[in-house]
Amino acid sequence: MHVQEWLETVPAVAVYALVGLVIGLESLGIPLPGEIILVSSALLASQHGDIDPVVLGACATAGAIIGDSIGYAIGRKGGRPLLAWLGAKFPRHFSEGHVAAAERSFTKWGMWAVFFGRFVALLRIFAGPLAGVLRMPYWKFLIANVLGGIVWAGGTTAVIYYVGIVAESWLKRFSWLGLVLAVLIGVTSMLVLKRKAKKAVPEPAVAAD
């Protein structure tokens, strides 16, 4: 079943909890489709009045910040043996090449790697645990974690929600043309953010390959 179709079958409070939980676990270091769940939920909120986009964005932000903080604590305590264990459990995401590429990004960019890492799928999983392993000062991590969580989770929710509102309104007035334009606006906005993030973090996935 499509993610959005499944979300339509559960109550609003369950959607809030699911978004916060999935994003929190992803930020903690477990490979989960947090961005897909968030985008689907925000689009659903634009179509159904039962889901409050402000509450949705707050839950997503809280999940991102809390998950990253727990990941930082686990990484700081577990150290490099933790990365080796994760590599054995999730070789596709925590291979030696991916870890080395992410570590180079952190070494070069520091707290900015945590901030912009929110917009890069691979670094979104790595950010918390790797910052702990590398012993980044917690106050630096916390600032980047909070700001990144707000901009990514809150920004994604707002952009997708308003794209959904505009798409529905334009669809009534201009048929499929309105929907196409609205989707293009949303996609362009997300691509611009991701491009800026990848410029700030020097292509970890490419380096890993």
Side-chain angles (χ1 to χ4, degrees):
M1 185 182 293
H2 191 276
V3 173
Q4 189 171 351
E5 293 176 350
W6 180 79
L7 289 173
E8 290 177 351
T9 65
V10 300
V13 65
V15 174
Y16 301 145
L18 180 66
V19 167
L21 179 62
V22 171
I23 291 178
L25 291 175
E26 182 189 38
S27 300
L28 188 151
I30 300 176
L32 290 175
E35 192 170 44
I36 294 176
I37 294 293
L38 179 58
V39 169
S40 298
S41 300
L43 189 59
L44 184 63
S46 70
Q47 300 169 354
H48 297 276
D50 293 340
I51 300 177
D52 189 331
V54 176
V55 176
L56 181 67
C59 290
T61 301
I65 295 173
I66 294 172
D68 246 17
S69 297
I70 296 175
Y72 175 90
I74 293 174
R76 192 173 181 88
K77 184 175 181 179
R80 293 194 175 276
L82 173 65
L83 295 180
W85 180 83
L86 289 173
K89 293 292 184 181
F90 306 103
R92 182 179 176 184
H93 298 85
F94 289 90
S95 66
E96 291 184 7
H98 285 167
V99 171
E103 187 171 348
R104 286 194 296 270
S105 299
F106 270 71
T107 301
K108 182 174 182 179
W109 297 96
M111 62 187 295
W112 289 109
V114 177
F115 178 85
F116 286 109
R118 287 290 183 189
F119 301 91
V120 181
L122 180 63
L123 283 183
R124 191 160 56 246
I125 299 172
F126 273 114
L130 190 56
V133 170
L134 297 178
R135 304 252 171 202
M136 177 184 290
Y138 183 69
W139 68 269
K140 288 185 177 181
F141 171 79
L142 183 61
I143 292 173
N145 179 28
V146 171
L147 293 179
I150 292 173
V151 173
W152 175 72
T156 298
T157 302
V159 169
I160 299 301
Y161 174 79
Y162 284 111
V163 165
I165 294 293
V166 172
E168 185 176 5
S169 176
W170 285 9
L171 186 60
K172 291 178 180 178
R173 297 180 183 180
F174 307 110
S175 186
W176 61 273
L177 289 175
L179 179 60
V180 171
L181 288 174
V183 170
L184 286 176
I185 292 173
V187 170
T188 301
S189 300
M190 296 303 298
L191 288 177
V192 168
L193 287 174
K194 286 180 178 293
R195 186 176 180 182
K196 289 183 178 180
K198 288 182 178 180
K199 283 183 178 180
V201 181
E203 301 182 357
V206 175
D209 293 337

